[in-house]
Amino acid sequence: MEMVESDSGPELSAEEEMALIRDSTVAAEAHAKEGDIFFLVTNRWWQSWIDYVIQDSAGVTSNGSHQHEFGSNAPRRPGAIDNLDLLDDVASEVSSMDIELHDTLVEGRDYILLPQKVWEKLHGWYGGGPTLPRKAINTGLSQTDLAIEVYPLRLQLILMPKGEQAVIRISKKDTVDELYKKACEVFDLVPDEVYIWDYYGRTKHALMDNLEKTLEDANIQMDQDILVEVTANANGSLDGGCMSSIQENDYFERGPTSLTTDASKSGFSYENFASISYGSRSYSSSLAQSQYLRSSNGDLDTLPGTVGVTTRGFPSGLIGLLNLGNTCFMNSAVQCLVHTPEFARYFREDYHCEINWHNPLGMVELLAFLLDGLHEDLNRVKHRPYLKSKDADGRSDEEVADEYWANHIARNDSIIVDVCQGQYKSTLVCPICGKVSVTFDPFMYLSLPLQFASTRSMTVVLFTCDGSAPPTLYTVSVPKQGRCRDLIQALSNACSLRKEERLLIAEIRNHRIHLILEDPVLQLSTIKDDDHLAVYRLPKLEKRATYIQFVHRREDLDHGNNSSSTSWKSYGVPLLAQICRNETVTGSDIHEMACKMLVPMLRNQVSQHSAVQSSLSTRTQSYHTDNSKFQLQLIDDSNTVVEQTDYGIRVPQSSVATVIFVNWSKSDLKKLNTNHLEHLPEVFKYAPPAKRTRGEPLSLYACLDAFLREEPLVPEEMWLVFCCTP
């Protein structure tokens, strides 16, 4: 995993960077083709760069994470590109690849895709990494839809008879020959002695001997098994064990009825390929081919006159339509129509007399268009009269509704209208003169807003810098589409924050502060459920702040040599203190900051903790009392001991926070209650609720209520009101 430093050339202005990236992006999109390389960049970094380059042309910042100076309104130039958010360290350990992405990444939320020229410019300016290239491929039925294969096929190779296993990544557009080469490379095999089987569901389905066929055409799916079989015979033929396995799986039958099929006569697979389309960013389904069947003589050649087709994983029988390439919506629409009793009865009878043979529109797919097409085909009205609807003018709703419906069926009269159409009342009130306009509009379907939960639960641990309280766990509810300021406000209410105090949110990784979330407009959606957040309660300063993070380390005995040398290993959640920027502090000041924050964590110090909360003077005396109970060893990041002296120390400015290590001996560490210091919970830990409330499930009536909710007219909709339109 390589992290590259930026080039040492002259730094461009934000405006120059934006112009170059814009031009490169337009050029790349205009000439995008299969085989082009695109690069993943974490959305957090990308948004911080966007904020930086548009700071002169926009009044507010976009969503993003920044490590800019406290109190500054203009976003700072972002640091090096950091794609570590996208990596799954656990998956990388079990894969033969060095880098594995999280399986649940979403484009636009977690990452964005950059053309190669754009990546090279940004990477040259900012450095960082790791580099995550992905190839553009053609997808779809016509193989003309360009998509970026963010997640290549992940396959588990099983070597027989040794039983060894390995996980590899390979493009669905790679050929079987390339899979052979990769398998031989992984297991150090001779290609002439290897047979590879489609081993889906740990069952032999097809011998993959067509080396020019792509893995997509071979119906190889994500996360499936591939059997790599080494022959024992000198002539390279399959041994008896292989043949017996074939017989057990019904792929070798003796008799004239054995059938085979080639790719041109195969069936379709139900597999969905979730590739990210570069142009439309839409999902596409792969057209996959069926596997081979064996003939009675064991050959894999196609037999003439073949009529049998098999689809892997599905038994024969009535199972409905397979997904024939982006047809799942049409399939569901057809199922809805088939299971509507009125339609079933109607089309079983003689409906030919009602067919409109002069309909020029024809029939189209999907439910809405299908119903429209059926209505036009079956419309009993051959010549539609022109009718003008009148305004209500104070008449009753029943009278106006009957009039509108009569006008509608005078032009539209079919079985579709009888079964599926109705009308709803629409009321417009002019915001200027107050005139009320009532109409009744026909409808065949309603687009209802889904009323999902609009809030999100977030859990953090709050630390005080003055030692007035021990670390405290808080779980608050915030808007799902909220900003960082919403989380700060919720926490401020929960902890009764005083006017002279403020909260600072930090993301913790590897026992250090990875990111300080100071931007109040940062979207909470950029904070993942498995992130770990610490919140620090700090006093407000008149000047800009410089932060000091105290990173805890404990003894880690190295028994690998006879000397049993002691090393130090980071652990727990760092504590945070602040001083005014450019302020000089002493070693004693730094020791006092650390000890003051540790006071409420001392075991069996209830009385002293109560004294700490009383006043500042009492805090100071309590600190001196507690300091005698343990000796802190403070080390700066240059491995220099911070002594308790009155000599001035200038704290260097850092993009996050200056690091001071706190080395704990085993004896001193036992004096602390390290529960919240050691175990920082995830922002949201999913667990099935013990009891669901009645209001939680998605309700059709709630969606209808939301559809019927009164909405104010915006200026763009004033054309709907005729009375006051200029």
Side-chain angles (χ1 to χ4, degrees):
M1 188 182 304
E2 184 179 3
M3 306 289 283
V4 180
E5 295 184 358
S6 61
D7 293 341
S8 57
E11 186 174 303
L12 301 177
S13 66
E15 189 174 310
E16 291 172 327
E17 288 188 10
M18 180 172 63
L20 288 173
I21 294 302
R22 181 183 60 241
D23 295 343
S24 299
T25 302
V26 171
E29 290 184 353
H31 302 93
K33 62 184 183 303
E34 185 177 28
D36 287 352
I37 303 299
F38 290 78
F39 293 81
L40 278 73
V41 172
T42 177
N43 192 50
R44 281 186 175 177
W45 188 91
W46 175 253
Q47 289 297 337
S48 66
W49 181 82
I50 290 293
D51 289 345
Y52 165 65
V53 297
I54 67 172
Q55 57 184 325
D56 296 330
S57 58
V60 295
T61 61
S62 304
N63 63 299
S65 302
H66 316 291
Q67 299 98 30
H68 57 72
E69 298 175 356
F70 174 72
S72 173
N73 293 324
R76 289 178 51 187
R77 190 174 192 270
I81 299 173
D82 183 4
N83 283 334
L84 295 178
D85 282 357
L86 308 179
L87 305 188
D88 188 343
D89 296 334
V90 176
S92 298
E93 293 177 359
V94 299
S95 171
S96 60
M97 298 182 63
D98 294 332
I99 296 177
E100 277 286 322
L101 300 180
H102 283 289
D103 286 337
T104 57
L105 298 179
V106 176
E107 184 184 6
R109 184 195 71 184
D110 302 309
Y111 69 90
I112 55 103
L113 289 164
L114 298 179
Q116 185 168 357
K117 294 293 185 183
V118 176
W119 164 260
E120 289 173 352
K121 290 184 183 299
L122 289 174
H123 196 239
W125 296 335
Y126 293 93
T131 302
L132 303 174
R134 291 297 184 268
K135 185 185 297 184
I137 60 175
N138 285 329
T139 62
L141 287 173
S142 60
Q143 292 293 300
T144 57
D145 297 331
L146 194 63
I148 288 82
E149 196 176 22
V150 176
Y151 292 101
L153 290 175
R154 180 172 51 205
L155 305 177
Q156 177 163 282
L157 306 181
I158 302 175
L159 179 63
M160 294 299 288
K162 292 184 178 180
E164 298 178 9
Q165 298 184 7
V167 179
I168 63 168
R169 285 277 191 182
I170 187 170
S171 172
K172 60 181 282 188
K173 292 296 183 181
D174 284 343
T175 62
V176 173
D177 182 52
E178 290 166 321
L179 177 59
Y180 264 87
K181 292 177 181 177
K182 182 158 286 193
C184 292
E185 179 184 349
V186 170
F187 294 123
D188 193 18
L189 303 174
V190 178
D192 293 340
E193 300 178 357
V194 173
Y195 288 89
I196 291 184
W197 293 82
D198 179 349
Y199 203 46
Y200 181 86
R202 296 297 175 103
T203 301
K204 286 184 177 179
H205 288 277
L207 179 63
M208 302 175 67
D209 64 342
N210 188 342
L211 301 182
E212 296 182 357
K213 181 183 287 188
T214 66
L215 299 183
E216 177 184 27
D217 292 337
N219 196 18
I220 301 303
Q221 303 178 21
M222 178 71 76
D223 287 325
Q224 81 157 72
D225 296 327
I226 297 294
L227 183 63
V228 181
E229 208 159 31
V230 181
T231 59
N233 296 345
N235 59 4
S237 62
L238 293 173
D239 61 15
C242 296
M243 297 301 291
S244 62
S245 298
I246 298 171
Q247 294 171 356
E248 290 173 4
N249 290 300
D250 296 330
Y251 282 94
F252 183 81
E253 299 179 3
R254 300 188 180 274
T257 58
S258 299
L259 302 176
T260 183
T261 180
D262 65 7
S264 63
K265 299 175 182 177
S266 61
F268 294 108
S269 168
Y270 196 68
E271 174 196 7
N272 287 326
F273 169 64
S275 65
I276 310 299
S277 170
Y278 178 63
S280 63
R281 299 294 189 245
S282 62
Y283 288 97
S284 61
S285 301
S286 67
L287 176 62
Q289 306 291 356
S290 175
Q291 72 285 351
Y292 285 106
L293 296 178
R294 271 193 169 272
S295 61
S296 58
N297 60 3
D299 295 330
L300 291 173
D301 298 331
T302 304
L303 294 180
T306 297
V307 295
V309 176
T310 181
T311 302
R312 182 181 70 197
F314 293 101
S316 59
L318 299 177
I319 59 174
L321 295 177
L322 293 179
N323 187 16
L324 310 184
N326 291 340
T327 59
C328 51
F329 289 107
M330 185 184 74
N331 188 9
S332 62
V334 171
Q335 297 296 333
C336 290
L337 293 177
V338 168
H339 291 86
T340 302
E342 290 82 357
F343 286 140
R345 286 195 297 269
Y346 177 82
F347 284 105
R348 282 199 300 265
E349 298 171 356
D350 185 11
Y351 61 88
H352 295 84
C353 60
E354 296 187 348
I355 293 180
N356 181 3
W357 300 101
H358 304 287
N359 172 33
L361 299 179
M363 293 180 59
V364 290
E365 63 180 3
L366 300 180
L367 180 58
F369 299 106
L370 178 59
L371 290 175
D372 285 335
L374 283 173
H375 163 65
E376 297 296 341
D377 280 342
L378 302 174
N379 196 352
R380 304 178 185 111
V381 179
K382 311 308 179 189
H383 303 285
R384 299 181 177 182
Y386 173 74
L387 299 170
K388 186 177 181 180
S389 299
K390 301 177 183 179
D391 198 3
D393 287 333
R395 293 181 292 166
S396 65
D397 286 348
E398 290 79 4
E399 180 183 351
V400 178
D402 290 342
E403 180 181 294
Y404 272 85
W405 187 251
N407 291 345
H408 178 64
I409 62 175
R411 295 171 54 86
N412 303 277
D413 186 14
S414 70
I415 180 65
I416 306 299
V417 176
D418 298 340
V419 176
C420 296
Q421 290 193 5
Q423 63 181 9
Y424 57 78
K425 177 183 176 183
S426 178
T427 304
L428 286 175
V429 181
C430 179
I432 300 176
C433 67
K435 181 179 179 179
V436 178
S437 175
V438 176
T439 59
F440 288 85
D441 302 311
F443 71 92
M444 186 156 50
Y445 44 83
L446 299 175
S447 297
L448 302 181
L450 297 179
Q451 297 299 292
F452 291 115
S454 59
T455 59
R456 174 189 182 188
S457 178
M458 301 186 73
T459 299
V460 302
V461 175
L462 188 141
F463 296 84
T464 59
C465 70
D466 60 358
S468 58
T472 307
L473 190 74
Y474 287 98
T475 299
V476 295
S477 293
V478 293
K480 258 188 178 179
Q481 303 302 322
R483 307 276 180 164
C484 192
R485 60 191 173 210
D486 298 316
L487 176 58
I488 292 176
Q489 184 60 51
L491 291 171
S492 300
N493 297 335
C495 70
S496 302
L497 191 72
R498 296 188 291 269
K499 291 183 179 181
E500 64 275 9
E501 296 177 322
R502 67 186 182 96
L503 297 180
L504 187 71
I505 303 175
E507 180 184 345
I508 308 300
R509 289 190 190 177
N510 298 322
H511 312 293
R512 291 195 186 192
I513 294 178
H514 171 71
L515 197 66
I516 293 180
L517 308 179
E518 287 190 289
D519 188 355
V521 298
L522 166 68
Q523 288 189 345
L524 293 180
S525 59
T526 63
I527 301 176
K528 301 177 182 177
D529 288 343
D530 57 356
D531 286 345
H532 300 266
L533 297 184
V535 179
Y536 299 97
R537 188 169 185 165
L538 305 168
K540 291 181 179 178
L541 299 179
E542 295 181 359
K543 300 180 180 179
R544 294 179 181 177
T546 293
Y547 301 113
I548 303 174
Q549 59 170 319
F550 294 92
V551 178
H552 305 280
R553 298 196 301 190
R554 59 186 172 190
E555 292 178 291
D556 185 26
L557 286 178
D558 183 8
H559 298 286
N561 52 54
N562 297 329
S563 61
S564 296
S565 61
T566 301
S567 59
W568 297 96
K569 183 179 180 181
S570 298
Y571 91 106
V573 184
L575 302 177
L576 188 76
Q578 67 175 2
I579 60 174
C580 292
R581 182 156 297 186
N582 299 324
E583 179 182 345
T584 300
V585 295
T586 65
S588 297
D589 294 334
I590 295 177
H591 274 263
E592 183 173 351
M593 292 177 192
C595 291
K596 188 183 295 184
M597 290 183 283
L598 291 168
V599 166
M601 302 182 205
L602 284 173
R603 298 182 184 274
N604 304 322
Q605 299 295 319
V606 178
S607 60
Q608 293 175 353
H609 173 56
S610 301
V612 167
Q613 293 179 316
S614 60
S615 67
L616 181 60
S617 60
T618 310
R619 286 194 195 107
T620 305
Q621 182 162 0
S622 176
Y623 150 67
H624 286 299
T625 303
D626 296 325
N627 190 30
S628 63
K629 296 186 177 296
F630 54 79
Q631 296 295 324
L632 289 182
Q633 183 184 10
L634 304 184
I635 310 291
D636 63 18
D637 54 2
S638 63
N639 208 29
T640 303
V641 176
V642 180
E643 302 285 355
Q644 293 192 59
T645 65
D646 294 332
Y647 293 110
I649 299 176
R650 191 173 186 83
V651 178
Q653 296 182 14
S654 171
S655 60
V656 180
T658 300
V659 175
I660 297 291
F661 294 108
V662 183
N663 289 350
W664 288 97
S665 65
K666 289 185 178 180
S667 57
D668 281 343
L669 195 58
K670 292 179 180 179
K671 300 175 183 178
L672 292 180
N673 183 353
T674 60
N675 183 28
H676 288 312
L677 197 63
E678 241 179 321
H679 306 289
L680 188 63
E682 296 178 352
V683 168
F684 178 78
K685 185 71 173 179
Y686 174 77
K691 182 179 181 181
R692 298 181 65 89
T693 61
R694 295 181 63 184
E696 285 183 14
L698 182 63
S699 168
L700 176 61
Y701 297 102
C703 297
L704 284 169
D705 289 339
F707 176 79
L708 297 173
R709 193 174 299 138
E710 182 179 304
E711 298 178 355
L713 288 177
V714 296
E716 292 78 10
E717 298 173 329
M718 285 300 295
W719 64 273
L720 295 170
V721 183
F722 297 100
C723 57
C724 297
T725 303

